[in-house]
Amino acid sequence: MDAQLPAAAPISVGLPASVSEYTQVWPQPQPAPVRGRPPIKRIAVLTSGGDAPGMNAAIRSVVRTGVERDWLVFGVKHGYAGLIADDMAILGRRDVGGIIGQGGTMLGSARSAEFRAEAGRRQALDVLAGRGIDALVVIGGNGSQSGANALAELGFPVVGVASTIDNDLFGSEVTIGVDTAMNIALEAIDRLKTTASSHHRAFLIEVMGRDCGYLALMSAIAGGAEAVAIPEIETDPEAISEKLRTAYARGKPHALVVVAEGAKYNAERLAAYFAENRERLGFDLRTTILGHVQRGGAPTAADRLLATRLGAAATEQLARGETGVLVGLSKNEIVATPLADVAGKRKPLDVSLVALAEVLEK
Ligand code: F6P
């Protein structure tokens, strides 16, 4: 395996401020071949796990910056499952035309049980060797990057690109898809607040995020919700009902709670609790579960740019021979973190923001 980078080492890829600046910095000079390693000629790129808005922009960036380096770029269909099945095609610049604004992933994505077994991973390596592919770019979240690390541990050059709407990936402050998912949640919150105000009703909205409360907490703060429930902090349903009740008492025209799908009291359990205690609590709670709506639709400008930067950073890492890393964002700089540090970990949520949410929600 390649030498590991120190955690969070800044590298130089950034989006230039203007087109003229862009033409000055791109194409970049080809780096000198790493001693002992033949120069890269062929790479493959795949998207894996839950799709995220911006994955297409990342694919486009990997393909076009790879082709710029005179590499042959293979697009692998349906994640690791497609890799094992040798389901891939060569992608040129035009093949990724027009996708930057499209949600989903043109390559398709999957969660592959076969790849979790060593036999599946060995099969994937055989496929890569059979195609003469020198390196792989994996665009995805936690499970996908653990898979990337498993290949790196078997000695194959891999670079991961941080992409998940959950924003729970260690090695990147923000991941591809988060901004779009958050804006979709916000739009839903804003819409619910208008109808809540008309009818003086209480609403519950559940957002995705698996076991991470990032999307719920941030959309509650940005949407001006009256309460929030996240997996990281156990929330008493009585406390939530009190917040909703006192919102009206304070003269608010609406009362809305944002719930993370992974919270102990998720939409189903909280709605059941309110239904059981309807008489005592004194009001109904209307429920909206946002679900996969958050993963669909066009990526925002922020996600297109992040994905473009990270895709370009991935090919730069490969060109330098610095693989076995995840490229992500820290303090608006691109950073590379060893996949071994990323795999099996989860980025903790900054729960200090819960205190801020509690001040603002009053
Ligand atoms: O990891 C992204 C995510 O959308 C989570 O927020 C959610 O829990 C999960 O994927 C849903 O997975 P699936 O699309 O397989 O139902």
Side-chain angles (χ1 to χ4, degrees):
M1 196 172 68
D2 296 279
Q4 301 279 275
L5 288 183
I11 58 172
S12 65
V13 174
L15 267 192
S18 67
V19 172
S20 59
E21 194 185 341
Y22 191 76
T23 54
Q24 284 161 25
V25 298
W26 198 267
Q28 295 175 338
Q30 290 286 318
V34 180
R35 199 140 44 104
R37 174 184 292 287
I40 283 179
K41 292 200 174 67
R42 295 176 177 211
I43 68 165
V45 56
L46 62 80
T47 49
S48 161
D51 65 348
M55 275 183 162
N56 275 327
I59 295 166
R60 173 179 176 270
S61 179
V62 169
V63 169
R64 290 198 176 162
T65 58
V67 169
E68 190 73 26
R69 295 178 193 279
D70 290 331
W71 298 346
L72 202 58
V73 183
F74 289 81
V76 181
K77 312 257 181 71
H78 310 301
Y80 291 115
L83 184 58
I84 290 171
D86 194 13
D87 189 2
M88 61 179 82
I90 293 168
L91 296 176
R93 288 189 177 95
R94 295 279 20 102
D95 296 314
V96 291
I99 66 169
I100 193 168
Q102 289 173 7
T105 156
M106 68 168 283
L107 293 174
S109 192
R111 305 186 199 274
S112 166
E114 218 182 333
F115 189 75
R116 280 186 215 121
E118 181 158 349
R121 299 199 284 267
R122 296 257 172 221
Q123 168 70 18
L125 289 183
D126 287 348
V127 168
L128 290 164
R131 294 265 190 181
I133 292 168
D134 307 302
L136 176 68
V137 176
V138 173
I139 303 168
N142 272 312
S144 313
Q145 302 309 338
S146 291
N149 183 52
L151 284 183
E153 281 178 346
L154 290 171
F156 195 79
V158 189
V159 172
V161 171
S163 175
T164 165
I165 66 161
D166 300 341
N167 208 20
D168 59 350
L169 188 61
F170 188 84
S172 195
E173 280 169 6
V174 65
T175 49
I176 296 168
V178 172
D179 188 66
T180 308
M182 183 92 70
N183 277 294
I184 293 168
L186 271 183
E187 189 185 342
I189 290 170
D190 290 348
R191 285 173 185 266
L192 287 173
K193 275 169 93 170
T194 53
T195 175
S197 301
S198 307
H199 291 271
H200 238 63
R201 277 175 178 159
F203 275 83
L204 176 166
I205 177 166
E206 183 186 277
V207 300
M208 274 190 167
R210 206 180 285 278
D211 302 322
C212 176
Y214 182 91
L215 279 179
L217 180 57
M218 299 306 159
S219 56
I221 292 173
E226 279 64 48
V228 61
I230 56 174
E232 290 82 354
I233 295 178
E234 194 166 323
T235 313
D236 176 7
E238 284 295 323
I240 292 175
S241 92
E242 186 59 13
K243 284 181 177 181
L244 298 182
R245 206 183 49 73
T246 56
Y248 287 124
R250 280 197 304 275
K252 282 199 172 194
H254 52 71
L256 187 138
V257 52
V258 181
V259 179
E261 65 173 345
K264 179 174 174 195
Y265 279 91
N266 62 5
E268 196 185 343
R269 295 192 65 197
L270 203 55
Y273 185 90
F274 270 74
E276 276 161 30
N277 296 282
R278 164 75 182 81
E279 289 304 309
R280 183 173 57 80
L281 297 176
F283 58 89
D284 289 323
L285 192 63
R286 297 284 203 281
T287 302
T288 300
I289 298 179
L290 220 44
H292 291 81
V293 169
Q294 284 156 107
R295 291 212 323 235
T300 58
D303 272 326
R304 296 181 200 197
L305 293 174
L306 175 63
T308 300
R309 291 176 73 184
L310 294 185
T315 60
E316 188 167 322
Q317 286 291 127
L318 293 178
R320 290 176 177 181
E322 294 171 350
T323 65
V325 294
L326 173 88
V327 288
L329 203 69
S330 174
K331 300 186 176 70
N332 207 26
E333 296 265 357
I334 306 285
V335 293
T337 305
L339 283 167
D341 291 349
V342 172
K345 263 197 211 142
R346 291 251 318 278
K347 182 175 61 185
L349 177 67
D350 179 2
V351 288
S352 69
L353 287 169
V354 172
L356 176 61
E358 283 180 342
V359 171
L360 299 175
E361 70 199 16
K362 285 184 191 149

